[in-house]
Amino acid sequence: MLSKRLIVCLDVRDGKLAKSIKFVDTKDIGDPVQKARQYYEDGADELVFYDITASQKNRDIILDFVRAVASQIFIPFSVGGGIRSVEDATKLRLAGADKVNINTAAVKRKELISEIAGAIGSQSTILSMDVKRAKKTGEIPSGYEIVINDGITPTGIDALQWAKLGEKLGAGELVVNSIDADGTKEGYELALTRMIANNAGIPVIASGGAGKPEHLYEAFSAGHADAALVASIVHYGNYTCRELKAYLQNRGIKVRNSF
Amino acid sequence: MITIIDYGAGNIGSVQRACAEVGVRTVVVDTPADIQKAERIIFPGVGAAPPAMDTLKQKGSGAALKQSFAAGVPILGICIGAQVILDSSEEGKTPCLGLIPGKTVRFKLQDKSLKIPHMGWNAVKTVQPHPLLEGVGKEDEFYFVHSYYPQPDNRGNIYAVTDYGGEFCSALGYKNLFAVQFHPEKSGRPGLQMLERFVKWDGRVPSNSTDNRSR
């Protein structure tokens, strides 16, 4: 039986860990490669790095970073942030990233999904969706809307329709990131996660809101997610991946516990 | 020294890095002449069977691989490299290398809640002892990402199975050829250990192992 995946998310700026992440062991700040290795050894099933580098001229730094990570961890990892073209995706793939996450650029030009999937394969193409609750209308029948620019800009695109379209265009996985739940530590947006998971033929990764081990349990049980993304719950040293997985296993969720 | 065959089917770098992690030198080759010099071969792959077979035919590397197999060189196939060693693949109705009788088939799942591709971590259950599976524990899981899987005609060629809406063959072999549907290079400790065992493997299988290849 397939295990539910625990995916650790790290924000990287100019090849360093973003300062918004305050690790308990302060020595680690600034060395995302070492941190990645630590999570790998702690039993994370997968890692995702969001490149939040602002300046375009520093974009190649992420490639060096990806090469360094790829030589240190032997589990799949993906990279997201600022991917606008097949060339961006291919460069990251060649540098050693197993998958890429596309988000805003796909909303702006949906053909990008099929172009990237065509170049590096659906299994390496993750469509990441930022979603916000909205009033149910003819345009937004599911009551969930796709937003961009860190959740500030509504797009008028229905989240469920976007998920289905993304799958049809060749995405191999979907990240469902709830802007409403993100940062609250009150749990994943379960109704949204379940709605997308039940309607998608590809794996769905729940994102945003994890504050306690119980939230992960909910994402997998009530939320029907295939994987759950975590950040602060592990970054702040509240829990190790090992502890989260032991908890999930105790509650009957199938996880990988030998590493 | 391990020779990695490059036939345009992806993840060469991941395999090289995993080999480096276990302290083995690698060389990546794509010509028949270089394949013939190999003393140990990894035949990796990600992607689809039809373009993989096209490249193998075009470059003559498929024929070279067959020669290495006949010469007793230890070979490890990974993912697509575990599929194209059979007679054919359902994917694009592709004729394949025919090193082991059987065909590669697509998942046909009754349980509609199970998704295709089979993507993520799953256990690998040994059904017949093999030096490369020694020490793989019940709890050990490996990383999979695939929509098709190898289905050898003879049970004697199946070494391990994995459960995804029913059991499918996740490791197969014949003589000095062993192949896995999962990605040892992306499977953490158990995967790296399998690569370490491959480096030491002399290409022999236990004598009780069924040898029912007819040709």
Side-chain angles (χ1 to χ4, degrees):
Chain A
M1 202 173 118
L2 198 58
S3 286
K4 299 291 187 183
R5 282 176 285 157
L6 179 67
I7 303 178
V8 175
C9 176
L10 295 143
D11 286 344
V12 180
R13 185 189 290 127
D14 299 325
K16 295 196 164 58
L17 284 176
K19 285 192 183 121
S20 58
I21 303 171
K22 299 186 189 80
F23 292 103
V24 169
D25 181 358
T26 50
K27 276 183 297 187
D28 286 339
I29 288 183
D31 188 359
V33 178
Q34 193 189 328
K35 205 71 199 169
R37 177 87 190 192
Q38 185 189 316
Y39 286 127
Y40 158 63
E41 288 172 356
D42 186 36
D45 296 313
E46 203 164 317
L47 299 179
V48 52
F49 302 94
Y50 277 113
D51 179 19
I52 55 172
T53 303
S55 119
Q56 273 304 113
K57 72 174 170 51
N58 285 345
R59 298 275 323 162
D60 283 350
I61 294 173
I62 191 77
L63 296 175
D64 291 332
F65 165 75
V66 167
R67 282 182 208 106
V69 168
S71 67
Q72 285 296 315
I73 67 167
F74 302 94
I75 53 173
F77 72 95
S78 65
V79 178
I83 297 164
R84 294 184 179 85
S85 65
V86 169
E87 196 196 351
D88 291 341
T90 308
K91 276 185 182 170
L92 287 165
R93 185 79 184 87
L94 285 174
D98 297 286
K99 312 173 185 182
V100 299
N101 287 258
I102 47 175
N103 188 336
T104 307
V107 173
K108 290 184 174 162
R109 199 176 68 81
K110 63 179 188 294
E111 293 76 16
L112 184 65
I113 302 170
S114 34
E115 289 167 13
I116 290 181
I120 63 170
S122 285
Q123 80 285 345
S124 295
T125 307
I126 305 177
L127 178 61
S128 202
M129 325 189 296
D130 288 339
V131 183
K132 214 169 175 172
R133 273 181 229 127
K135 203 168 159 254
K136 280 192 189 185
T137 61
E139 203 184 21
I140 313 285
S142 74
Y144 288 100
E145 184 176 9
I146 298 294
V147 291
I148 53 174
N149 297 330
D150 292 324
I152 298 164
T153 314
T155 62
I157 300 170
D158 181 83
L160 181 57
Q161 286 170 3
W162 181 234
K164 287 179 177 172
L165 182 62
E167 178 179 352
K168 205 173 132 197
L169 291 171
E173 284 179 279
L174 298 167
V175 173
V176 180
N177 184 45
S178 165
I179 296 295
D180 303 301
D182 195 24
T184 64
K185 297 187 185 178
E186 285 173 5
Y188 296 94
E189 171 93 46
L190 298 176
L192 167 70
T193 308
R194 185 171 57 239
M195 176 184 75
I196 305 285
N198 288 354
N199 285 284
I202 52 178
V204 166
I205 303 163
S207 167
K212 312 192 270 194
E214 196 181 341
H215 296 150
L216 289 154
Y217 171 75
E218 291 166 355
F220 295 131
S221 51
H224 298 184
D226 298 283
L229 209 125
V230 293
S232 57
I233 188 171
V234 290
H235 296 329
Y236 291 90
N238 296 338
Y239 297 95
T240 62
C241 295
R242 207 174 283 270
E243 286 166 348
L244 292 173
K245 291 180 126 185
Y247 171 87
L248 290 167
Q249 191 171 38
N250 276 336
R251 294 205 63 182
I253 301 289
K254 170 86 164 36
V255 289
R256 177 179 71 110
N257 253 334
S258 169
F259 32 85
Chain B
M1 173 75 86
I2 289 182
T3 298
I4 301 175
I5 301 183
D6 181 7
Y7 56 108
N11 82 331
I12 300 293
S14 304
V15 176
Q16 274 185 290
R17 285 184 290 266
C19 286
E21 177 73 5
V22 300
V24 193
R25 288 197 305 144
T26 51
V27 57
V28 177
V29 307
D30 67 349
T31 65
D34 286 332
I35 294 169
Q36 277 158 10
K37 283 184 231 157
E39 53 197 33
R40 196 173 291 280
I41 293 173
I42 292 184
F43 185 50
V46 167
M53 276 311 299
D54 281 350
T55 312
L56 287 169
K57 265 190 249 168
Q58 233 170 42
K59 293 195 169 170
S61 33
L65 183 74
K66 280 187 186 178
Q67 282 174 17
S68 299
F69 172 60
V73 174
I75 302 170
L76 175 64
I78 298 174
C79 193
I80 291 293
Q83 298 180 355
V84 299
I85 55 173
L86 296 175
D87 295 322
S88 66
S89 173
E90 268 183 15
E91 190 174 18
K93 296 198 171 69
T94 313
C96 295
L97 298 172
L99 301 179
I100 293 176
K103 63 178 180 179
T104 293
V105 297
R106 190 175 162 85
F107 278 112
K108 292 173 196 72
L109 303 169
Q110 301 298 318
D111 181 349
K112 294 300 166 205
S113 73
L114 293 177
K115 294 170 180 178
I116 298 176
H118 169 231
M119 178 188 274
W121 297 82
N122 209 330
V124 167
K125 185 173 98 186
T126 300
V127 293
Q128 191 180 182
H130 192 283
L132 292 198
L133 291 168
E134 256 170 44
V136 173
K138 268 204 317 215
E139 299 287 310
D140 287 343
E141 296 185 17
F142 294 82
Y143 189 75
F144 289 84
V145 49
H146 61 122
S147 305
Y148 294 80
Y149 63 89
Q151 195 174 63
D153 289 343
N154 305 323
R155 296 187 82 144
N157 293 125
I158 301 176
Y159 283 92
V161 294
T162 293
D163 179 29
Y164 192 58
E167 286 182 340
F168 70 90
C169 169
S170 51
L172 66 162
Y174 176 58
K175 291 184 175 173
N176 48 307
L177 168 65
F178 188 74
V180 292
Q181 179 56 63
F182 50 85
H183 291 275
E185 75 280 10
K186 283 286 161 186
S187 296
R189 179 201 37 86
L192 294 174
Q193 285 173 343
M194 181 169 282
L195 292 176
E196 279 176 330
R197 286 192 296 272
F198 175 62
V199 176
K200 292 179 191 143
W201 187 38
D202 61 3
R204 288 166 202 266
V205 283
S207 54
N208 64 344
S209 154
T210 324
D211 184 349
N212 53 0
R213 172 84 187 182
S214 50
R215 21 185 134 144

